[in-house]
């Protein structure tokens, strides 16, 4: 750390891995799958207690109401946990946004519930990298930063629904992003320290297809097969794949007994456009496919969903933010690279507000969203130091391209 000034060395040297690791283990022991409302309430309470150590106000914000198409093709409300917001120096002229999520992909009854050590540095456990470790190191970095008598203000937002698209927290994210100098999001980096650069957008859809039932033997010609129409729609959408646009028909629900022409089917699919222009192209393609299938099969199709994660391009301001973070990482002896990725996160939503964002500031790890998920423990204190130093330098520098 020879490239650090004496003030910067004093800022980062007290950061200790042990308490960050212990907090990670404590939080990873709480199952907080997106649908586990009791677990999310427990996690939100623990986070509120921990982030109360910052010199600001901590509050829990109710989720926005969200509806989802059920197996009968009907929109039903879906419950979500509350979101945490901590505001520090809210009247400061220059402010940042730091974000993370408390939910994981592991349901309350998922067999992956406990942590163990793969080796001395590799912690295997649910949500350790994505992102209980990221939340713990974010807090440690902020507490270190607060020892420098800082003037920079910031909001911390930790939502309960990131793993399902942040639908109940999207408006909150957009509100908090307004007027911010920059944003840091604590998704996990790759084991080699690589950071996510550009991201595509993402939209999840449900196409509810309603046909007409009939007896499969006596009068099948009087029926309108919703299952066949849904399959046709899936094939037409898949044919729309092109460079920069991923289309994934993922699941068909519905159908009927073998002796009945099915009158209901629901096609679930995902779109990932790389640019806003491709997002418009994708929407036009979906509209055209629905019209063609409706006419060919004489069915009605109601589409639910939209591109809820806008594409995240790289702006000159984002390049400047990464340059500042990479220099800080280099000065700390933490090599940092970045590359485009096909994944999406809350960084997409923040970038859509015109705010430069680094969205893989969390712990190093891998195999996320699987029972093999792991975190590299040395990255906890390393990334906490990086957070403190990036905050310190952002206070003193402008993000000029």
């Amino acid at each position: 750390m020879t490239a650090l000034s004496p003030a910067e060395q004093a800022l980062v040297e007290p950061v200790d891995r042990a308490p960050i690791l212990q907090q990670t283990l404590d939080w990873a022991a709480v199952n907080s799958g997106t649908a586990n409302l009791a677990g999310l309430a427990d996690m939100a309470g623990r986070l509120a207690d921990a982030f109360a150590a910052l010199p600001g106000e901590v509050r829990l914000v109710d989720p926005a109401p969200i509806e989802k198409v059920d197996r009968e093709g009907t929109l039903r409300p879906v419950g979500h946990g509350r979101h945490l917001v901590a505001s520090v120096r809210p009247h400061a002229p220059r402010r940042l946004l730091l974000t993370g999520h408390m939910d994981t992909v592991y349901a309350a009854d998922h067999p992956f519930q406990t942590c163990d050590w793969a080796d001395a540095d590799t912690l295997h456990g649910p949500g350790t990298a994505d992102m209980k470790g990221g939340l713990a190191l974010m807090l440690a970095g902020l507490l270190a930063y607060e020892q420098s008598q800082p003037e920079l203000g910031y909001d911390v937002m930790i939502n309960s629904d990131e793993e399902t698209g942040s639908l109940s927290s999207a408006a909150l994210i957009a509100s908090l992003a307004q007027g911010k100098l920059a944003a840091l999001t604590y998704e996990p980096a790759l084991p080699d320290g690589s950071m996510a650069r550009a991201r595509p957008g993402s939209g999840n859809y449900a196409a509810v297809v309603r046909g007409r039932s009939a007896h499969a033997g006596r009068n099948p010609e009087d029926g309108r097969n919703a299952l066949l129409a849904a399959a046709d729609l899936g094939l037409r959408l898949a044919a729309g794949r092109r460079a920069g646009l991923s289309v994934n028909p993922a699941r068909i629900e519905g159908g009927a007994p073998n002796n009945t022409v099915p009158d209901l089917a629901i096609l679930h699919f995902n779109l990932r456009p790389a640019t806003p222009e491709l997002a418009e192209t994708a929407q036009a393609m979906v509209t055209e496919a629905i019209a063609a299938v409706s006419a060919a099969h004489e069915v009605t199709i109601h589409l639910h969903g939209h591109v809820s994660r806008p594409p995240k391009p790289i702006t000159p301001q984002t390049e400047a933010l990464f340059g500042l973070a990479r220099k800080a990482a280099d000065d700390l002896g933490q090599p940092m690279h970045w590359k485009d990725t096909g994944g999406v996160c809350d960084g997409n939503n923040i970038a859509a507000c015109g705010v430069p964002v680094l969205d893989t500031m969390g712990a190093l790890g891998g195999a996320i969203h699987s029972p093999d998920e792991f975190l590299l423990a040395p990255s906890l204190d390393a990334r906490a130091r990086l957070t403190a130093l990036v905050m310190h330098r952002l206070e003193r520098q402008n993000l000029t391209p």
Side-chain angles (χ1 to χ4, degrees):
M1 298 190 289
T2 54
L4 302 183
S5 70
E8 291 173 338
Q9 289 180 343
L11 179 74
V12 301
E13 283 178 355
V15 174
D16 182 20
R17 183 184 310 171
I20 310 174
L21 176 59
Q22 187 57 56
Q23 200 158 56
T24 301
L25 289 166
D26 291 345
W27 291 346
V30 179
N31 179 285
S32 56
T34 313
N36 182 2
L37 300 187
L40 287 168
D42 183 357
M43 191 66 205
R46 294 175 186 233
L47 289 170
D49 289 343
F51 278 80
L54 296 173
E57 176 197 13
V58 177
R59 66 187 192 276
L60 295 177
V61 179
D62 289 338
I66 296 298
E67 293 182 317
K68 183 179 180 180
V69 174
D70 66 14
R71 295 179 64 86
E72 302 302 319
T74 303
L75 283 171
R76 303 288 185 191
V78 179
H80 288 90
R82 291 193 291 174
H83 315 302
L84 179 143
V85 176
S87 296
V88 176
R89 291 180 289 279
H91 302 298
R94 301 173 77 240
R95 305 190 75 238
L96 302 180
L97 175 62
L98 297 93
T99 71
H101 61 88
M102 66 183 82
D103 64 323
T104 72
V105 298
Y106 306 105
D109 59 353
H110 195 284
F112 190 33
Q113 298 283 351
T114 59
C115 295
D116 59 82
W117 289 92
D119 57 48
D121 289 336
T122 308
L123 178 63
H124 168 242
T128 49
D130 190 21
M131 62 164 51
K132 305 294 176 67
L135 298 178
L137 73 87
M138 178 213 293
L139 177 58
L142 290 174
L143 291 173
Y145 173 65
E146 288 297 331
Q147 302 309 306
S148 66
Q149 299 182 327
E151 298 179 0
L152 199 66
Y154 54 90
D155 289 319
V156 175
M157 191 286 306
I158 302 174
N159 57 359
S160 68
D161 65 340
E162 190 277 338
E163 295 293 7
T164 54
S166 303
L167 298 179
S168 81
S169 58
L172 176 63
I173 295 169
S175 173
L176 292 172
Q178 297 305 311
K180 293 299 193 292
L181 166 69
L184 307 174
T185 294
Y186 284 76
E187 292 293 338
L190 295 177
D192 66 355
S194 294
M195 307 275 281
R197 190 174 181 271
R199 294 181 182 270
S202 178
N204 291 311
Y205 295 81
V208 180
V209 184
R210 296 191 183 275
R212 184 189 308 147
S213 62
H215 193 284
R218 295 180 65 179
N219 62 328
E221 66 281 354
D222 292 335
R224 298 295 181 266
N225 194 311
L227 190 71
L228 281 178
D232 187 8
L233 179 60
L235 290 171
R236 290 173 189 254
L237 294 175
R241 295 187 187 112
R242 64 198 69 183
L245 176 60
S246 169
V247 184
N248 183 46
R251 186 172 82 257
I252 293 178
E253 295 179 310
N258 286 354
N259 63 352
T260 302
V261 176
D263 63 355
L264 172 66
I266 306 163
L267 172 67
H268 299 269
F269 62 95
N270 174 264
L271 298 176
R272 300 207 175 201
T275 65
E277 294 75 20
L278 281 170
E280 293 181 5
T281 298
Q283 186 58 53
M285 180 263 292
V286 171
T287 300
E288 180 181 341
I290 286 175
V293 170
S294 298
H297 295 266
E298 299 181 31
V299 298
T300 61
I301 302 177
H302 295 285
L303 184 67
H304 303 276
H306 63 286
V307 175
S308 58
R309 304 281 201 197
K312 176 198 155 192
I314 297 302
T315 66
Q317 290 75 22
T318 310
E319 292 276 10
L321 177 60
F322 177 73
L324 183 150
R326 180 169 58 185
K327 178 63 167 60
D330 287 344
D331 292 345
L332 289 166
Q334 304 175 27
M336 178 183 288
H337 313 281
W338 71 342
K339 57 185 177 182
D340 296 348
T341 177
V344 296
C345 72
D346 288 336
N348 291 69
N349 301 60
I350 296 168
C353 297
V355 177
V357 56
L358 289 181
D359 53 31
T360 37
M361 286 289 291
L364 277 56
I368 62 172
H369 296 193
S370 85
D372 297 319
E373 180 176 355
F374 68 90
L375 171 150
L376 299 180
S379 69
L380 291 173
D381 48 312
R383 283 299 181 107
R385 293 188 185 96
L386 179 62
T387 291
L389 185 57
V390 167
M391 298 277 290
H392 180 79
R393 291 185 177 180
L394 278 171
E395 183 174 337
R396 290 155 177 78
Q397 298 181 30
N398 291 318
L399 291 177
T400 52

